[in-house]
Amino acid sequence: MNLDSLFSKDCSKAAVLFNSKKRMLEYLSQVAHQHSPHLSEQSVLDALLTREKLGSTGIGKGVAIPHGRLDGIDSTIAIVVTNREAINFDAIDNLPVDIFVALLVPANETEQHLKTLATIADKLKDKQLCKQLRSASSDQELYQLIAD
């Protein structure tokens, strides 16, 4: 699977600073709305929170992949954000998180959604990539790293 088509420059935000899981999910929702204005911030946030209630999307080693299903989109929207300071995200290893890759998928695309999640999780197992993502100082640099 080619991930570069999922990511866009306007959905790549480096070195932001939020101090809570809820605030980060709200920010991801804002970015999604700015990218696709027909999506309300609230509907995106609701989708992300619904998924988080099933269990944290913090996959460990400082990485989280919050995701949710949405009506009204035709293709997956991916958002990558790095936080300057790691925050508690209830990750499976109980470590704080500073790399967030959010996925918003069409409500009816279950199989593609699972493949995309697996591909991103696999990519984020690369310690060198995560180190580079964490040190990205601009949105453009972050985008180039994740899209390559």
Side-chain angles (χ1 to χ4, degrees):
M1 169 179 286
N2 192 354
L3 291 179
D4 63 337
S5 63
L6 282 182
F7 294 97
S8 63
K9 292 176 187 166
D10 66 326
C11 288
S12 303
K13 305 295 181 186
V16 301
L17 186 57
F18 296 105
N19 62 7
S20 72
K21 180 177 186 173
K22 182 172 189 255
R23 187 64 192 105
M24 179 55 74
L25 293 173
E26 289 170 347
Y27 180 67
L28 293 167
S29 301
Q30 290 169 0
V31 173
H33 171 69
Q34 290 166 358
H35 175 74
S36 298
H38 69 282
L39 295 175
S40 76
E41 287 181 33
Q42 191 61 53
S43 67
V44 174
L45 181 60
D46 290 346
L48 295 175
L49 288 172
T50 296
R51 173 56 190 84
E52 287 299 319
K53 287 179 184 172
L54 300 174
S56 178
T57 56
I59 63 171
K61 298 185 179 166
V63 176
I65 310 177
H67 53 280
R69 298 178 189 279
L70 285 174
D71 290 317
I73 59 174
D74 299 325
S75 60
T76 299
I77 299 169
I79 302 164
V80 59
V81 173
T82 56
N83 206 46
R84 280 185 269 169
E85 296 177 10
I87 58 175
N88 180 16
F89 208 80
D90 304 315
I92 60 171
D93 61 1
N94 293 316
L95 294 175
V97 173
D98 59 354
I99 297 173
F100 302 86
V101 178
L103 295 175
L104 303 171
V105 299
N108 59 348
E109 287 195 16
T110 302
E111 187 175 322
Q112 185 62 37
H113 172 59
L114 294 175
K115 286 180 183 176
T116 304
L117 271 174
T119 302
I120 289 174
D122 192 51
K123 181 172 182 138
L124 293 172
K125 287 180 185 174
D126 181 338
K127 291 179 185 178
Q128 185 61 32
L129 173 63
C130 288
K131 184 178 180 181
Q132 291 174 317
L133 293 172
R134 288 182 172 102
S135 66
S137 58
S138 71
D139 297 350
Q140 175 67 28
E141 183 183 0
L142 184 65
Y143 167 72
Q144 288 176 319
L145 287 166
I146 198 72
D148 282 345

mmCIF file of all heavy atoms in Angstrom, residues 86-138:
data_model
loop_
_atom_site.group_PDB
_atom_site.id
_atom_site.type_symbol
_atom_site.label_atom_id
_atom_site.label_comp_id
_atom_site.label_asym_id
_atom_site.label_seq_id
_atom_site.Cartn_x
_atom_site.Cartn_y
_atom_site.Cartn_z
ATOM 1 N N ALA A 86 5.405 14.734 25.193
ATOM 2 C CA ALA A 86 4.556 13.547 25.209
ATOM 3 C C ALA A 86 3.463 13.720 26.270
ATOM 4 O O ALA A 86 3.701 14.297 27.331
ATOM 5 C CB ALA A 86 5.388 12.304 25.486
ATOM 6 N N ILE A 87 2.263 13.241 25.935
ATOM 7 C CA ILE A 87 1.125 13.364 26.846
ATOM 8 C C ILE A 87 0.540 11.988 27.149
ATOM 9 O O ILE A 87 0.695 11.043 26.371
ATOM 10 C CB ILE A 87 0.025 14.279 26.258
ATOM 11 C CG1 ILE A 87 -0.473 13.756 24.898
ATOM 12 C CG2 ILE A 87 0.521 15.705 26.139
ATOM 13 C CD1 ILE A 87 -1.640 14.531 24.309
ATOM 14 N N ASN A 88 -0.158 11.912 28.270
ATOM 15 C CA ASN A 88 -0.827 10.664 28.631
ATOM 16 C C ASN A 88 -1.943 10.403 27.626
ATOM 17 O O ASN A 88 -2.811 11.253 27.429
ATOM 18 C CB ASN A 88 -1.380 10.760 30.053
ATOM 19 C CG ASN A 88 -2.090 9.487 30.467
ATOM 20 O OD1 ASN A 88 -1.933 8.443 29.845
ATOM 21 N ND2 ASN A 88 -2.864 9.571 31.522
ATOM 22 N N PHE A 89 -1.905 9.238 27.009
ATOM 23 C CA PHE A 89 -2.924 8.868 26.021
ATOM 24 C C PHE A 89 -3.482 7.480 26.309
ATOM 25 O O PHE A 89 -4.082 6.846 25.457
ATOM 26 C CB PHE A 89 -2.315 8.941 24.607
ATOM 27 C CG PHE A 89 -3.316 9.252 23.523
ATOM 28 C CD1 PHE A 89 -3.737 10.547 23.299
ATOM 29 C CD2 PHE A 89 -3.822 8.249 22.726
ATOM 30 C CE1 PHE A 89 -4.669 10.833 22.310
ATOM 31 C CE2 PHE A 89 -4.751 8.520 21.717
ATOM 32 C CZ PHE A 89 -5.165 9.824 21.515
ATOM 33 N N ASP A 90 -3.219 6.979 27.511
ATOM 34 C CA ASP A 90 -3.680 5.648 27.913
ATOM 35 C C ASP A 90 -3.164 4.568 26.956
ATOM 36 O O ASP A 90 -3.867 3.606 26.646
ATOM 37 C CB ASP A 90 -5.214 5.586 27.988
ATOM 38 C CG ASP A 90 -5.778 6.636 28.929
ATOM 39 O OD1 ASP A 90 -5.233 6.783 30.037
ATOM 40 O OD2 ASP A 90 -6.751 7.313 28.553
ATOM 41 N N ALA A 91 -1.930 4.737 26.486
ATOM 42 C CA ALA A 91 -1.347 3.777 25.535
ATOM 43 C C ALA A 91 -1.188 2.407 26.171
ATOM 44 O O ALA A 91 -1.113 2.274 27.395
ATOM 45 C CB ALA A 91 0.004 4.292 25.042
ATOM 46 N N ILE A 92 -1.088 1.392 25.333
ATOM 47 C CA ILE A 92 -1.021 0.016 25.835
ATOM 48 C C ILE A 92 0.220 -0.244 26.686
ATOM 49 O O ILE A 92 0.199 -1.118 27.541
ATOM 50 C CB ILE A 92 -1.118 -1.019 24.696
ATOM 51 C CG1 ILE A 92 0.033 -0.849 23.699
ATOM 52 C CG2 ILE A 92 -2.448 -0.941 23.988
ATOM 53 C CD1 ILE A 92 0.132 -1.964 22.670
ATOM 54 N N ASP A 93 1.290 0.530 26.473
ATOM 55 C CA ASP A 93 2.497 0.352 27.285
ATOM 56 C C ASP A 93 2.581 1.382 28.423
ATOM 57 O O ASP A 93 3.589 1.463 29.116
ATOM 58 C CB ASP A 93 3.752 0.416 26.412
ATOM 59 C CG ASP A 93 3.915 1.741 25.692
ATOM 60 O OD1 ASP A 93 3.065 2.653 25.863
ATOM 61 O OD2 ASP A 93 4.897 1.874 24.930
ATOM 62 N N ASN A 94 1.513 2.142 28.609
ATOM 63 C CA ASN A 94 1.416 3.175 29.649
ATOM 64 C C ASN A 94 2.424 4.307 29.502
ATOM 65 O O ASN A 94 2.614 5.085 30.433
ATOM 66 C CB ASN A 94 1.518 2.563 31.052
ATOM 67 C CG ASN A 94 0.321 1.700 31.371
ATOM 68 O OD1 ASN A 94 -0.815 2.075 31.094
ATOM 69 N ND2 ASN A 94 0.577 0.530 31.918
ATOM 70 N N LEU A 95 3.088 4.402 28.346
ATOM 71 C CA LEU A 95 4.018 5.501 28.102
ATOM 72 C C LEU A 95 3.283 6.649 27.423
ATOM 73 O O LEU A 95 2.334 6.436 26.670
ATOM 74 C CB LEU A 95 5.178 5.028 27.218
ATOM 75 C CG LEU A 95 6.106 3.984 27.846
ATOM 76 C CD1 LEU A 95 7.142 3.515 26.830
ATOM 77 C CD2 LEU A 95 6.784 4.537 29.090
ATOM 78 N N PRO A 96 3.723 7.882 27.681
ATOM 79 C CA PRO A 96 3.084 9.028 27.036
ATOM 80 C C PRO A 96 3.344 9.026 25.530
ATOM 81 O O PRO A 96 4.274 8.383 25.042
ATOM 82 C CB PRO A 96 3.715 10.239 27.726
ATOM 83 C CG PRO A 96 4.966 9.741 28.357
ATOM 84 C CD PRO A 96 4.790 8.276 28.595
ATOM 85 N N VAL A 97 2.522 9.776 24.800
ATOM 86 C CA VAL A 97 2.520 9.763 23.338
ATOM 87 C C VAL A 97 2.849 11.156 22.800
ATOM 88 O O VAL A 97 2.350 12.154 23.311
ATOM 89 C CB VAL A 97 1.135 9.301 22.817
ATOM 90 C CG1 VAL A 97 1.026 9.432 21.315
ATOM 91 C CG2 VAL A 97 0.860 7.871 23.259
ATOM 92 N N ASP A 98 3.672 11.179 21.738
ATOM 93 C CA ASP A 98 3.973 12.458 21.082
ATOM 94 C C ASP A 98 3.864 12.392 19.558
ATOM 95 O O ASP A 98 4.022 13.404 18.886
ATOM 96 C CB ASP A 98 5.346 12.986 21.492
ATOM 97 C CG ASP A 98 6.492 12.048 21.171
ATOM 98 O OD1 ASP A 98 6.246 10.915 20.716
ATOM 99 O OD2 ASP A 98 7.649 12.437 21.382
ATOM 100 N N ILE A 99 3.569 11.217 19.002
ATOM 101 C CA ILE A 99 3.331 11.088 17.562
ATOM 102 C C ILE A 99 1.904 10.575 17.372
ATOM 103 O O ILE A 99 1.542 9.527 17.916
ATOM 104 C CB ILE A 99 4.322 10.103 16.894
ATOM 105 C CG1 ILE A 99 5.755 10.609 17.025
ATOM 106 C CG2 ILE A 99 3.962 9.904 15.413
ATOM 107 C CD1 ILE A 99 6.800 9.614 16.535
ATOM 108 N N PHE A 100 1.122 11.333 16.602
ATOM 109 C CA PHE A 100 -0.273 10.995 16.366
ATOM 110 C C PHE A 100 -0.527 10.914 14.867
ATOM 111 O O PHE A 100 -0.236 11.861 14.148
ATOM 112 C CB PHE A 100 -1.196 12.059 16.970
ATOM 113 C CG PHE A 100 -0.989 12.241 18.444
ATOM 114 C CD1 PHE A 100 -0.006 13.104 18.919
ATOM 115 C CD2 PHE A 100 -1.750 11.533 19.354
ATOM 116 C CE1 PHE A 100 0.208 13.262 20.275
ATOM 117 C CE2 PHE A 100 -1.545 11.680 20.721
ATOM 118 C CZ PHE A 100 -0.564 12.547 21.178
ATOM 119 N N VAL A 101 -1.039 9.788 14.426
ATOM 120 C CA VAL A 101 -1.466 9.660 13.035
ATOM 121 C C VAL A 101 -2.944 9.291 13.081
ATOM 122 O O VAL A 101 -3.305 8.168 13.428
ATOM 123 C CB VAL A 101 -0.660 8.588 12.267
ATOM 124 C CG1 VAL A 101 -1.177 8.472 10.829
ATOM 125 C CG2 VAL A 101 0.826 8.943 12.255
ATOM 126 N N ALA A 102 -3.785 10.271 12.789
ATOM 127 C CA ALA A 102 -5.231 10.062 12.833
ATOM 128 C C ALA A 102 -5.733 9.642 11.460
ATOM 129 O O ALA A 102 -5.278 10.150 10.438
ATOM 130 C CB ALA A 102 -5.931 11.341 13.274
ATOM 131 N N LEU A 103 -6.665 8.704 11.456
ATOM 132 C CA LEU A 103 -7.285 8.239 10.224
ATOM 133 C C LEU A 103 -8.788 8.400 10.327
ATOM 134 O O LEU A 103 -9.405 7.968 11.303
ATOM 135 C CB LEU A 103 -6.972 6.760 9.980
ATOM 136 C CG LEU A 103 -5.531 6.391 9.721
ATOM 137 C CD1 LEU A 103 -5.385 4.884 9.633
ATOM 138 C CD2 LEU A 103 -5.029 7.046 8.453
ATOM 139 N N LEU A 104 -9.349 9.013 9.312
ATOM 140 C CA LEU A 104 -10.802 9.120 9.198
ATOM 141 C C LEU A 104 -11.179 8.379 7.935
ATOM 142 O O LEU A 104 -10.683 8.692 6.852
ATOM 143 C CB LEU A 104 -11.212 10.588 9.116
ATOM 144 C CG LEU A 104 -10.729 11.427 10.296
ATOM 145 C CD1 LEU A 104 -10.968 12.901 10.045
ATOM 146 C CD2 LEU A 104 -11.391 10.974 11.576
ATOM 147 N N VAL A 105 -12.006 7.370 8.082
ATOM 148 C CA VAL A 105 -12.307 6.492 6.955
ATOM 149 C C VAL A 105 -13.798 6.494 6.649
ATOM 150 O O VAL A 105 -14.632 6.696 7.542
ATOM 151 C CB VAL A 105 -11.822 5.050 7.218
ATOM 152 C CG1 VAL A 105 -10.323 5.016 7.408
ATOM 153 C CG2 VAL A 105 -12.506 4.457 8.422
ATOM 154 N N PRO A 106 -14.143 6.272 5.377
ATOM 155 C CA PRO A 106 -15.559 6.152 5.030
ATOM 156 C C PRO A 106 -16.213 5.044 5.857
ATOM 157 O O PRO A 106 -15.606 3.986 6.090
ATOM 158 C CB PRO A 106 -15.533 5.801 3.542
ATOM 159 C CG PRO A 106 -14.224 6.338 3.048
ATOM 160 C CD PRO A 106 -13.278 6.161 4.201
ATOM 161 N N ALA A 107 -17.406 5.289 6.293
ATOM 162 C CA ALA A 107 -18.095 4.373 7.202
ATOM 163 C C ALA A 107 -18.212 2.947 6.665
ATOM 164 O O ALA A 107 -18.240 1.995 7.439
ATOM 165 C CB ALA A 107 -19.479 4.919 7.532
ATOM 166 N N ASN A 108 -18.237 2.783 5.352
ATOM 167 C CA ASN A 108 -18.480 1.460 4.783
ATOM 168 C C ASN A 108 -17.221 0.736 4.301
ATOM 169 O O ASN A 108 -17.317 -0.318 3.689
ATOM 170 C CB ASN A 108 -19.468 1.578 3.619
ATOM 171 C CG ASN A 108 -18.957 2.504 2.529
ATOM 172 O OD1 ASN A 108 -17.980 3.215 2.727
ATOM 173 N ND2 ASN A 108 -19.624 2.503 1.392
ATOM 174 N N GLU A 109 -16.035 1.256 4.576
ATOM 175 C CA GLU A 109 -14.812 0.644 4.062
ATOM 176 C C GLU A 109 -14.022 -0.078 5.151
ATOM 177 O O GLU A 109 -12.906 0.304 5.496
ATOM 178 C CB GLU A 109 -13.933 1.694 3.385
ATOM 179 C CG GLU A 109 -14.484 2.142 2.064
ATOM 180 C CD GLU A 109 -13.470 2.892 1.224
ATOM 181 O OE1 GLU A 109 -12.260 2.814 1.513
ATOM 182 O OE2 GLU A 109 -13.905 3.559 0.274
ATOM 183 N N THR A 110 -14.548 -1.156 5.657
ATOM 184 C CA THR A 110 -13.922 -1.884 6.754
ATOM 185 C C THR A 110 -12.601 -2.524 6.360
ATOM 186 O O THR A 110 -11.591 -2.350 7.044
ATOM 187 C CB THR A 110 -14.881 -2.973 7.281
ATOM 188 O OG1 THR A 110 -16.089 -2.335 7.693
ATOM 189 C CG2 THR A 110 -14.278 -3.705 8.451
ATOM 190 N N GLU A 111 -12.562 -3.248 5.277
ATOM 191 C CA GLU A 111 -11.352 -3.978 4.900
ATOM 192 C C GLU A 111 -10.202 -3.021 4.584
ATOM 193 O O GLU A 111 -9.071 -3.212 5.048
ATOM 194 C CB GLU A 111 -11.619 -4.884 3.701
ATOM 195 C CG GLU A 111 -10.444 -5.794 3.388
ATOM 196 C CD GLU A 111 -10.778 -6.784 2.273
ATOM 197 O OE1 GLU A 111 -11.919 -7.286 2.227
ATOM 198 O OE2 GLU A 111 -9.874 -7.036 1.465
ATOM 199 N N GLN A 112 -10.471 -1.988 3.805
ATOM 200 C CA GLN A 112 -9.434 -1.015 3.462
ATOM 201 C C GLN A 112 -8.938 -0.300 4.717
ATOM 202 O O GLN A 112 -7.746 -0.038 4.867
ATOM 203 C CB GLN A 112 -9.963 -0.001 2.445
ATOM 204 C CG GLN A 112 -8.911 0.960 1.941
ATOM 205 C CD GLN A 112 -7.784 0.252 1.200
ATOM 206 O OE1 GLN A 112 -8.009 -0.714 0.487
ATOM 207 N NE2 GLN A 112 -6.566 0.712 1.388
ATOM 208 N N HIS A 113 -9.838 -0.019 5.620
ATOM 209 C CA HIS A 113 -9.496 0.643 6.882
ATOM 210 C C HIS A 113 -8.501 -0.199 7.669
ATOM 211 O O HIS A 113 -7.484 0.308 8.150
ATOM 212 C CB HIS A 113 -10.788 0.874 7.673
ATOM 213 C CG HIS A 113 -10.596 1.370 9.058
ATOM 214 N ND1 HIS A 113 -9.944 2.544 9.357
ATOM 215 C CD2 HIS A 113 -10.977 0.853 10.249
ATOM 216 C CE1 HIS A 113 -9.946 2.726 10.670
ATOM 217 N NE2 HIS A 113 -10.567 1.719 11.223
ATOM 218 N N LEU A 114 -8.753 -1.482 7.776
ATOM 219 C CA LEU A 114 -7.865 -2.367 8.530
ATOM 220 C C LEU A 114 -6.496 -2.475 7.871
ATOM 221 O O LEU A 114 -5.461 -2.479 8.553
ATOM 222 C CB LEU A 114 -8.504 -3.748 8.693
ATOM 223 C CG LEU A 114 -9.770 -3.781 9.546
ATOM 224 C CD1 LEU A 114 -10.385 -5.179 9.543
ATOM 225 C CD2 LEU A 114 -9.492 -3.310 10.963
ATOM 226 N N LYS A 115 -6.461 -2.533 6.555
ATOM 227 C CA LYS A 115 -5.186 -2.588 5.833
ATOM 228 C C LYS A 115 -4.383 -1.304 6.046
ATOM 229 O O LYS A 115 -3.169 -1.341 6.250
ATOM 230 C CB LYS A 115 -5.420 -2.808 4.338
ATOM 231 C CG LYS A 115 -5.849 -4.209 3.981
ATOM 232 C CD LYS A 115 -6.055 -4.334 2.480
ATOM 233 C CE LYS A 115 -6.560 -5.719 2.128
ATOM 234 N NZ LYS A 115 -6.862 -5.845 0.695
ATOM 235 N N THR A 116 -5.068 -0.173 5.992
ATOM 236 C CA THR A 116 -4.400 1.115 6.181
ATOM 237 C C THR A 116 -3.832 1.219 7.592
ATOM 238 O O THR A 116 -2.684 1.636 7.781
ATOM 239 C CB THR A 116 -5.373 2.275 5.898
ATOM 240 O OG1 THR A 116 -5.908 2.128 4.585
ATOM 241 C CG2 THR A 116 -4.686 3.618 6.027
ATOM 242 N N LEU A 117 -4.621 0.837 8.583
ATOM 243 C CA LEU A 117 -4.155 0.851 9.973
ATOM 244 C C LEU A 117 -2.911 -0.006 10.137
ATOM 245 O O LEU A 117 -1.927 0.408 10.758
ATOM 246 C CB LEU A 117 -5.245 0.317 10.906
ATOM 247 C CG LEU A 117 -6.239 1.303 11.470
ATOM 248 C CD1 LEU A 117 -7.324 0.560 12.239
ATOM 249 C CD2 LEU A 117 -5.561 2.307 12.363
ATOM 250 N N ALA A 118 -2.946 -1.205 9.590
ATOM 251 C CA ALA A 118 -1.818 -2.128 9.714
ATOM 252 C C ALA A 118 -0.572 -1.564 9.038
ATOM 253 O O ALA A 118 0.535 -1.662 9.578
ATOM 254 C CB ALA A 118 -2.183 -3.484 9.120
ATOM 255 N N THR A 119 -0.744 -0.974 7.872
ATOM 256 C CA THR A 119 0.394 -0.417 7.147
ATOM 257 C C THR A 119 1.025 0.740 7.920
ATOM 258 O O THR A 119 2.252 0.825 8.038
ATOM 259 C CB THR A 119 -0.036 0.050 5.739
ATOM 260 O OG1 THR A 119 -0.601 -1.064 5.045
ATOM 261 C CG2 THR A 119 1.132 0.596 4.952
ATOM 262 N N ILE A 120 0.199 1.613 8.460
ATOM 263 C CA ILE A 120 0.722 2.745 9.226
ATOM 264 C C ILE A 120 1.391 2.269 10.511
ATOM 265 O O ILE A 120 2.484 2.725 10.862
ATOM 266 C CB ILE A 120 -0.381 3.779 9.502
ATOM 267 C CG1 ILE A 120 -0.733 4.474 8.187
ATOM 268 C CG2 ILE A 120 0.049 4.792 10.550
ATOM 269 C CD1 ILE A 120 -1.884 5.413 8.252
ATOM 270 N N ALA A 121 0.762 1.345 11.206
ATOM 271 C CA ALA A 121 1.362 0.808 12.431
ATOM 272 C C ALA A 121 2.718 0.184 12.125
ATOM 273 O O ALA A 121 3.691 0.369 12.876
ATOM 274 C CB ALA A 121 0.425 -0.212 13.073
ATOM 275 N N ASP A 122 2.806 -0.540 11.021
ATOM 276 C CA ASP A 122 4.063 -1.166 10.633
ATOM 277 C C ASP A 122 5.126 -0.104 10.331
ATOM 278 O O ASP A 122 6.277 -0.219 10.757
ATOM 279 C CB ASP A 122 3.840 -2.062 9.418
ATOM 280 C CG ASP A 122 5.023 -2.961 9.151
ATOM 281 O OD1 ASP A 122 5.485 -3.648 10.098
ATOM 282 O OD2 ASP A 122 5.503 -2.981 8.004
ATOM 283 N N LYS A 123 4.743 0.940 9.626
ATOM 284 C CA LYS A 123 5.678 2.020 9.286
ATOM 285 C C LYS A 123 6.192 2.699 10.557
ATOM 286 O O LYS A 123 7.370 3.048 10.656
ATOM 287 C CB LYS A 123 4.993 3.039 8.372
ATOM 288 C CG LYS A 123 5.882 4.175 7.935
ATOM 289 C CD LYS A 123 5.220 5.051 6.892
ATOM 290 C CE LYS A 123 6.172 6.141 6.451
ATOM 291 N NZ LYS A 123 6.173 6.378 5.032
ATOM 292 N N LEU A 124 5.319 2.874 11.535
ATOM 293 C CA LEU A 124 5.697 3.577 12.759
ATOM 294 C C LEU A 124 6.466 2.697 13.745
ATOM 295 O O LEU A 124 6.860 3.165 14.812
ATOM 296 C CB LEU A 124 4.458 4.191 13.411
ATOM 297 C CG LEU A 124 3.821 5.326 12.598
ATOM 298 C CD1 LEU A 124 2.505 5.748 13.209
ATOM 299 C CD2 LEU A 124 4.768 6.509 12.468
ATOM 300 N N LYS A 125 6.726 1.452 13.392
ATOM 301 C CA LYS A 125 7.612 0.600 14.194
ATOM 302 C C LYS A 125 9.076 0.945 13.948
ATOM 303 O O LYS A 125 9.947 0.549 14.711
ATOM 304 C CB LYS A 125 7.380 -0.883 13.865
ATOM 305 C CG LYS A 125 6.098 -1.429 14.418
ATOM 306 C CD LYS A 125 5.945 -2.893 14.051
ATOM 307 C CE LYS A 125 4.604 -3.415 14.499
ATOM 308 N NZ LYS A 125 4.381 -4.800 14.035
ATOM 309 N N ASP A 126 9.338 1.691 12.879
ATOM 310 C CA ASP A 126 10.689 2.090 12.512
ATOM 311 C C ASP A 126 11.175 3.170 13.489
ATOM 312 O O ASP A 126 10.721 4.315 13.442
ATOM 313 C CB ASP A 126 10.680 2.610 11.072
ATOM 314 C CG ASP A 126 12.041 3.040 10.570
ATOM 315 O OD1 ASP A 126 12.940 3.342 11.390
ATOM 316 O OD2 ASP A 126 12.209 3.088 9.339
ATOM 317 N N LYS A 127 12.102 2.795 14.372
ATOM 318 C CA LYS A 127 12.588 3.716 15.403
ATOM 319 C C LYS A 127 13.245 4.955 14.792
ATOM 320 O O LYS A 127 13.100 6.054 15.304
ATOM 321 C CB LYS A 127 13.578 3.013 16.325
ATOM 322 C CG LYS A 127 12.949 1.969 17.207
ATOM 323 C CD LYS A 127 13.984 1.287 18.070
ATOM 324 C CE LYS A 127 13.347 0.165 18.862
ATOM 325 N NZ LYS A 127 14.320 -0.562 19.674
ATOM 326 N N GLN A 128 13.963 4.759 13.691
ATOM 327 C CA GLN A 128 14.640 5.882 13.045
ATOM 328 C C GLN A 128 13.616 6.880 12.485
ATOM 329 O O GLN A 128 13.772 8.087 12.625
ATOM 330 C CB GLN A 128 15.575 5.385 11.938
ATOM 331 C CG GLN A 128 16.410 6.482 11.307
ATOM 332 C CD GLN A 128 17.333 7.193 12.299
ATOM 333 O OE1 GLN A 128 17.815 6.593 13.254
ATOM 334 N NE2 GLN A 128 17.546 8.480 12.096
ATOM 335 N N LEU A 129 12.571 6.355 11.860
ATOM 336 C CA LEU A 129 11.524 7.233 11.339
ATOM 337 C C LEU A 129 10.881 8.022 12.475
ATOM 338 O O LEU A 129 10.682 9.235 12.367
ATOM 339 C CB LEU A 129 10.461 6.447 10.573
ATOM 340 C CG LEU A 129 9.244 7.268 10.142
ATOM 341 C CD1 LEU A 129 9.640 8.380 9.170
ATOM 342 C CD2 LEU A 129 8.168 6.372 9.550
ATOM 343 N N CYS A 130 10.547 7.342 13.566
ATOM 344 C CA CYS A 130 9.914 8.029 14.699
ATOM 345 C C CYS A 130 10.828 9.112 15.260
ATOM 346 O O CYS A 130 10.369 10.206 15.604
ATOM 347 C CB CYS A 130 9.515 7.026 15.774
ATOM 348 S SG CYS A 130 8.094 6.012 15.291
ATOM 349 N N LYS A 131 12.117 8.829 15.327
ATOM 350 C CA LYS A 131 13.077 9.831 15.792
ATOM 351 C C LYS A 131 13.065 11.044 14.868
ATOM 352 O O LYS A 131 13.059 12.192 15.322
ATOM 353 C CB LYS A 131 14.475 9.215 15.852
ATOM 354 C CG LYS A 131 15.530 10.127 16.402
ATOM 355 C CD LYS A 131 16.873 9.422 16.482
ATOM 356 C CE LYS A 131 17.933 10.371 17.036
ATOM 357 N NZ LYS A 131 19.245 9.733 17.104
ATOM 358 N N GLN A 132 13.027 10.811 13.565
ATOM 359 C CA GLN A 132 12.988 11.909 12.593
ATOM 360 C C GLN A 132 11.677 12.689 12.700
ATOM 361 O O GLN A 132 11.680 13.920 12.623
ATOM 362 C CB GLN A 132 13.158 11.364 11.171
ATOM 363 C CG GLN A 132 14.534 10.821 10.899
ATOM 364 C CD GLN A 132 14.620 10.150 9.535
ATOM 365 O OE1 GLN A 132 13.729 9.400 9.139
ATOM 366 N NE2 GLN A 132 15.693 10.426 8.825
ATOM 367 N N LEU A 133 10.557 11.969 12.866
ATOM 368 C CA LEU A 133 9.269 12.645 13.012
ATOM 369 C C LEU A 133 9.286 13.567 14.230
ATOM 370 O O LEU A 133 8.825 14.711 14.169
ATOM 371 C CB LEU A 133 8.128 11.636 13.137
ATOM 372 C CG LEU A 133 7.826 10.778 11.909
ATOM 373 C CD1 LEU A 133 6.801 9.708 12.247
ATOM 374 C CD2 LEU A 133 7.364 11.620 10.735
ATOM 375 N N ARG A 134 9.828 13.045 15.332
ATOM 376 C CA ARG A 134 9.870 13.833 16.564
ATOM 377 C C ARG A 134 10.728 15.087 16.422
ATOM 378 O O ARG A 134 10.466 16.088 17.076
ATOM 379 C CB ARG A 134 10.400 12.981 17.717
ATOM 380 C CG ARG A 134 9.429 11.944 18.186
ATOM 381 C CD ARG A 134 9.956 11.128 19.373
ATOM 382 N NE ARG A 134 8.894 10.282 19.870
ATOM 383 C CZ ARG A 134 8.790 8.974 19.614
ATOM 384 N NH1 ARG A 134 9.718 8.351 18.905
ATOM 385 N NH2 ARG A 134 7.767 8.288 20.095
ATOM 386 N N SER A 135 11.746 15.025 15.594
ATOM 387 C CA SER A 135 12.643 16.172 15.457
ATOM 388 C C SER A 135 12.248 17.110 14.314
ATOM 389 O O SER A 135 12.891 18.146 14.121
ATOM 390 C CB SER A 135 14.093 15.710 15.287
ATOM 391 O OG SER A 135 14.241 15.018 14.069
ATOM 392 N N ALA A 136 11.201 16.770 13.580
ATOM 393 C CA ALA A 136 10.754 17.650 12.483
ATOM 394 C C ALA A 136 10.368 19.008 13.048
ATOM 395 O O ALA A 136 9.598 19.097 14.000
ATOM 396 C CB ALA A 136 9.580 17.024 11.743
ATOM 397 N N SER A 137 10.916 20.057 12.442
ATOM 398 C CA SER A 137 10.669 21.396 12.971
ATOM 399 C C SER A 137 9.641 22.176 12.160
ATOM 400 O O SER A 137 9.247 23.268 12.550
ATOM 401 C CB SER A 137 11.982 22.177 13.043
ATOM 402 O OG SER A 137 12.561 22.252 11.757
ATOM 403 N N SER A 138 9.204 21.609 11.035
ATOM 404 C CA SER A 138 8.197 22.302 10.228
ATOM 405 C C SER A 138 7.156 21.309 9.726
ATOM 406 O O SER A 138 7.424 20.105 9.633
ATOM 407 C CB SER A 138 8.856 22.996 9.034
ATOM 408 O OG SER A 138 9.303 22.035 8.086
#
